[in-house]
Amino acid sequence: MKNMEKELLCPVCQEMYKQPLVLPCTHNVCQACAREVLGQQGYIGHGGDPSSEPTSPASTPSTRSPRLSRRTLPKPDRLDRLLKSGFGTYPGRKRGALHPQVIMFPCPACQGDVELGERGLAGLFRNLTLERVVERYRQSVSVGGAILCQLCKPPPLEATKGCTECRATFCNECFKLFHPWGTQKAQHEPTLPTLSFRPKGLMCPDHKEEVTHYCKTCQRLVCQLCRVRRTHSGHKITPVLSAYQALKDKLTKSLTYILGNQDTVQTQICELEEAVRHTEVSGQQAKEEVSQLVRGLGAVLEEKRASLLQAIEECQQERLARLSAQIQEHRSLLDGSGLVGYAQEVLKETDQPCFVQAAKQLHNRIARATEALQTFRPAASSSFRHCQLDVGREMKLLTELNFLRVPEAPVIDTQRTFAYDQIFLCWRLPPHSPPAWHYTVEFRRTDVPAQPGPTRWQRREEVRGTSALLENPDTGSVYVLRVRGCNKAGYGEYSEDVHLHTPPAPVLHFFLDGRWGASRERLAISKDQRAVRSVPGLPLLLAADRLLTGCHLSVDVVLGDVAVTQGRSYWACAVDPASYLVKVGVGLESKLQESFQGAPDVISPRYDPDSGHDSGAEDATVEASPPFAFLTIGMGKILLGSGASSNAGLTGRDGPAAGCTVPLPPRLGICLDYERGRVSFLDAVSFRGLLECPLDCSGPVCPAFCFIGGGAVQLQEPVGTKPERKVTIGGFAKLD
C-alpha cells in the first residue's frame, strides 16, 4: 500500500485527493480544483452545489473559537430555498431556456474536453471509495501527524472527536460548546477525528436520493426517480447489486490474472529496462553517425572550396601575366624608349645594304605594334562571372536533408487482388510515401483452430515489385493477407488486412470448343478460346416478325474441351449483363452432343429440354437426375427456381411465379461434385451460394454455355501460368 501514492494524487494540485469528483471520462479531480479550473475557463456559478460542500462551524471565521462571538446563521431550510432558487442560473439566462449552456471541462488527465451538462459540477458523483482509500493510506503512512481541532483559538489543540453532521473535528471543550444539551445538535453522534467527512451513502446529484440502480446505456448510477424519467427510457437498467457483483467479478478476475503472472510482469519490466538501455546506446550511436556524416559533408565542401579557389587563383595569375605582357609592349611604344627608340636609331643608318638588313625585321615588329594600336583590346578580361556557382539545387537538398523514413503502409488494390487457382495480391504505396526496396508478404488461414500463443503468420520475404503470387492455397479456406515495405530505415507499417476466399474445389482449366451445336455465323470464339460472343442474326429477326405464326429458334451451345469423370471441380466465368438469354452449367457429354447435333426447335411443344429427349416420355413416373444443370441468366438478372429441378433444363420455360430473380454478380462460380451428383452455382466474389441442383453423373460431364439471342461469356483466367490443353480427366478420352 505504501507504493500507490501516485494513484492518489490529484492531477491538478498534485496532492492527495480531497472530496474527489468522478468526471464523465472516469478520471478524478478534487472538488476545489475543479471549481478553480471552471473559474479559469470563465464559468461562474457552476462550481457545484454549495449545499454539498462542508458546512461546519469551522467554515465561518467568526466562530473559529468558542471565546469569540457567534453570528446567527440562517436556518437550513431557508438556506436551501435560497440556494435552489438561484441554482443553475447565470446572468443573461432565463430559467427554462430553449438552449441551456453546456459546460465543458478540460480533463487534466486525458487532455480532453468532457461535457458536464447544464448543472456543471453539481451533476457529478463524489468518489467515496477513493476517499476511503486515501484515508486508509494516510493512516498507514502517518501522513500529516495528529489531527487538530478546527475551532480552537491558535494554537489549536489536538482533535479528539469528529462530527459527520457538522463536518468538523473538535477537541473535548469545543465539542461540548457546539453540541449543548437540550438542542438538536446534542443528538449528533461523535466519531473519530478525520480530515474527510463523507455522507453515509452515495446520493443522486439530481434528486438527493440514494442511488439504487445502474444504467448500462449511460454507464451512470441512478435513483428511483431517475428510472422513470424520459432521459433513461428504453435504457438497460439493472439493480446496483448486480452491477456491483459483475464489476467486482471482472475486477477480481483481472487482478487475479495479473497477480498470477508476476513473473511475466517482471520479465517485461526487464525487457523494457533493456529497451531503455538499448535506446540510450542506439541514440548515442545515431548522434555519432549523424555528426560523422555532417562532418563528412563539411570535409567534402571544404575540399570542393579549396579546389574552386585554386582554379580561380590559376585563372587570375594567367590573366595578370597576359595583361602585364601587354603593358610592357605598349610601354615600348613610348617616344625614346623601347622599340620606338631603336627604330629611330636604325633610321640614322646611311649604309643602304646594312639598313635593309636591319630594317626588314624591325618593320615587321613596327607593323604589328601599329596594328595593336589600331585594334586595341585588353589581352584578358577582368571579369570572373564564369566562376559563379549555382548552389540552388544543393541548398534545396541541404534544406530538405532529413532522416530517412520507413515506407508508409501499402494500400491493397482490391480490384486486382483475388483468389482462384492461386492467390494474386497487388498493392501500391501512398503518393507521398518514401520508396521501398522490397516488401514482406504475410498470410495465414483464419478457419483453422487457434493455437496458444501469438498468431503465427507465414512470410514471403524480399518480394520485388508491387504484386505477389501465393501458390497452392488450400481449397475452401479463408486467407488473411497483409504486406509492408522495407528500405534502409527499416520496416514500415502493415497494410490493412484483406480476406480472400479460395474456391471450394480444385480449379478446372479448360478451353471452349464450338464444334457441337455452335453456329459459326452467330458465335465468335476468341483466339485464346476463353471467351465467346453470340450475335442474334437473321433467324431471330424473322422470329420477331413472325411471332404470331410460330418460328424456329436455334440454341447455340459451346462446350468445354475437358470432361470430368471424378472428384470435385470448380471454374468461374463472367457473363455480360447485356446478354439476352444465357445458360451456364454442366451436362452429360453424350446427351449434350446428341441434343445439339441438329438444331432443336425451341418453341415446338414436342421438345422438352428438362428430360433431354422428346416430351412424349413425360408419362414415366421414374424420378431420375437430369442430364443437364443450368443457371438461367438474362438482362443482368439470375432466375432462381423454386427447387433444384426448376433450372435443371436447358431451355425450360420457368414460370414467373415459380422463382425469383437476383442481380447478376461480376463472376459466377460452378462447383461440380461428381461422386455426389450435385452441382452448385456460387457468387464467385463472395462465394455465396445461389443454387444447387442434382445431376446425372453416369458418364463424362463437361461445362456448357447456351445462348439464345445476343450474349457474351468470358472464362476467368488462371492466376498462374496457363496450363497445357488437356482433353481428358481421370482416363476418359473426349470424343473428337
Side-chain angles (χ1 to χ4, degrees), residues 419-421 474-477 501-507 570 687:
Y420 195 45
D421 56 332
D474 297 333
T475 59
S477 303
H501 294 259
T502 56
V507 174
Y570 174 86
F687 286 91

Side-chain angles (χ1 to χ4, degrees), residues 327-501:
I327 291 174
Q328 293 298 328
E329 291 179 359
H330 278 68
R331 284 180 179 176
S332 65
L333 299 180
L334 295 176
D335 186 14
S337 65
L339 181 61
V340 173
Y342 175 69
Q344 291 175 350
E345 293 297 327
V346 170
L347 288 175
K348 295 178 181 180
E349 179 64 42
T350 58
D351 188 353
Q352 295 180 358
C354 293
F355 177 80
V356 172
Q357 180 182 6
K360 184 176 182 180
Q361 180 182 7
L362 180 61
H363 180 266
N364 293 334
R365 294 178 61 188
I366 291 296
R368 289 197 298 270
T370 304
E371 183 180 0
L373 287 174
Q374 294 174 354
T375 60
F376 172 76
R377 193 173 68 176
S381 175
S382 60
S383 174
F384 282 83
R385 293 182 179 178
H386 68 285
C387 294
Q388 292 183 356
L389 293 178
D390 183 10
V391 295
R393 182 170 58 91
E394 288 75 10
M395 291 296 294
K396 183 178 179 181
L397 292 175
L398 289 175
T399 304
E400 297 177 353
L401 183 64
N402 204 341
F403 298 108
L404 182 63
R405 296 186 296 124
V406 298
E408 297 181 11
V411 180
I412 303 297
D413 189 351
T414 56
Q415 299 297 327
R416 300 175 58 191
T417 298
F418 63 96
Y420 195 45
D421 56 332
Q422 300 175 18
I423 296 179
F424 180 73
L425 181 64
C426 186
W427 63 87
R428 65 180 183 276
L429 285 175
H432 302 290
S433 172
W437 293 356
H438 57 81
Y439 298 89
T440 297
V441 177
E442 297 185 357
F443 59 96
R444 62 180 176 87
R445 287 181 55 183
T446 61
D447 53 351
V448 295
Q451 299 294 333
T455 304
R456 295 184 178 181
W457 294 77
Q458 300 183 34
R459 290 184 176 85
R460 178 165 293 181
E461 304 285 353
E462 297 187 2
V463 177
R464 307 292 176 177
T466 58
S467 62
L469 195 65
L470 305 181
E471 302 176 350
N472 303 322
D474 297 333
T475 59
S477 303
V478 179
Y479 281 83
V480 56
L481 303 96
R482 63 184 185 182
V483 62
R484 63 175 178 174
C486 178
N487 57 16
K488 187 177 181 180
Y491 285 95
E493 295 292 333
Y494 284 102
S495 66
E496 294 186 0
D497 295 347
V498 58
H499 294 75
L500 296 178
H501 294 259

Side-chain angles (χ1 to χ4, degrees), residues 121-398:
L121 299 180
L124 302 180
F125 285 100
R126 282 179 61 178
N127 196 337
L128 300 182
T129 302
L130 181 57
E131 290 188 40
R132 297 187 185 100
V133 174
V134 170
E135 185 175 357
R136 289 197 297 268
Y137 178 79
R138 288 179 179 274
Q139 294 176 357
S140 64
V141 297
S142 300
V143 175
I147 301 176
L148 301 179
C149 177
Q150 294 178 306
L151 301 171
C152 284
K153 183 179 180 181
L157 301 177
E158 183 178 354
T160 58
K161 297 180 181 179
C163 181
T164 305
E165 302 291 337
C166 298
R167 296 180 180 179
T169 56
F170 304 88
C171 62
N172 289 331
E173 183 181 357
C174 294
F175 186 82
K176 293 178 182 180
L177 181 61
F178 284 94
H179 297 80
W181 290 100
T183 62
Q184 186 177 3
K185 289 187 177 182
Q187 300 178 2
H188 293 180
E189 296 182 0
T191 61
L192 295 176
T194 180
L195 296 177
S196 177
F197 294 94
R198 300 178 299 273
K200 295 182 180 180
L202 196 60
M203 309 299 290
C204 175
D206 296 332
H207 306 102
K208 305 303 179 184
E209 292 190 2
E210 186 177 359
V211 294
T212 56
H213 291 77
Y214 179 76
C215 179
K216 293 183 177 180
T217 306
C218 301
Q219 297 185 357
R220 180 181 175 88
L221 292 166
V222 295
C223 63
Q224 291 289 353
L225 294 178
C226 292
R227 291 185 59 192
V228 299
R229 291 182 61 185
R230 187 179 300 176
T231 308
H232 298 278
S233 61
H235 292 185
K236 294 181 179 180
I237 299 178
T238 60
V240 70
L241 179 61
S242 301
Y244 162 79
Q245 192 62 41
L247 290 175
K248 187 174 183 180
D249 292 344
K250 291 181 180 179
L251 183 59
T252 303
K253 184 178 179 181
S254 301
L255 188 60
T256 302
Y257 175 80
I258 294 176
L259 294 177
N261 292 271
Q262 291 297 297
D263 295 340
T264 304
V265 175
Q266 192 63 36
T267 302
Q268 294 178 359
I269 291 175
C270 294
E271 292 180 1
L272 292 175
E273 292 176 350
E274 182 64 26
V276 169
R277 291 191 292 270
H278 183 69
T279 301
E280 293 176 352
V281 174
S282 300
Q284 189 63 30
Q285 292 178 354
K287 292 179 181 178
E288 294 177 358
E289 290 178 359
V290 170
S291 300
Q292 184 177 0
L293 290 174
V294 173
R295 286 195 298 268
L297 289 176
V300 172
L301 289 175
E302 184 63 27
E303 182 180 355
K304 193 65 176 177
R305 184 184 71 87
S307 63
L308 292 176
L309 292 179
Q310 180 66 25
I312 294 175
E313 181 68 22
E314 293 176 356
C315 181
Q316 182 183 14
Q317 294 299 328
E318 180 185 358
R319 291 186 180 185
L320 291 176
R322 292 167 60 184
L323 290 173
S324 298
Q326 191 176 17
I327 291 174
Q328 293 298 328
E329 291 179 359
H330 278 68
R331 284 180 179 176
S332 65
L333 299 180
L334 295 176
D335 186 14
S337 65
L339 181 61
V340 173
Y342 175 69
Q344 291 175 350
E345 293 297 327
V346 170
L347 288 175
K348 295 178 181 180
E349 179 64 42
T350 58
D351 188 353
Q352 295 180 358
C354 293
F355 177 80
V356 172
Q357 180 182 6
K360 184 176 182 180
Q361 180 182 7
L362 180 61
H363 180 266
N364 293 334
R365 294 178 61 188
I366 291 296
R368 289 197 298 270
T370 304
E371 183 180 0
L373 287 174
Q374 294 174 354
T375 60
F376 172 76
R377 193 173 68 176
S381 175
S382 60
S383 174
F384 282 83
R385 293 182 179 178
H386 68 285
C387 294
Q388 292 183 356
L389 293 178
D390 183 10
V391 295
R393 182 170 58 91
E394 288 75 10
M395 291 296 294
K396 183 178 179 181
L397 292 175
L398 289 175

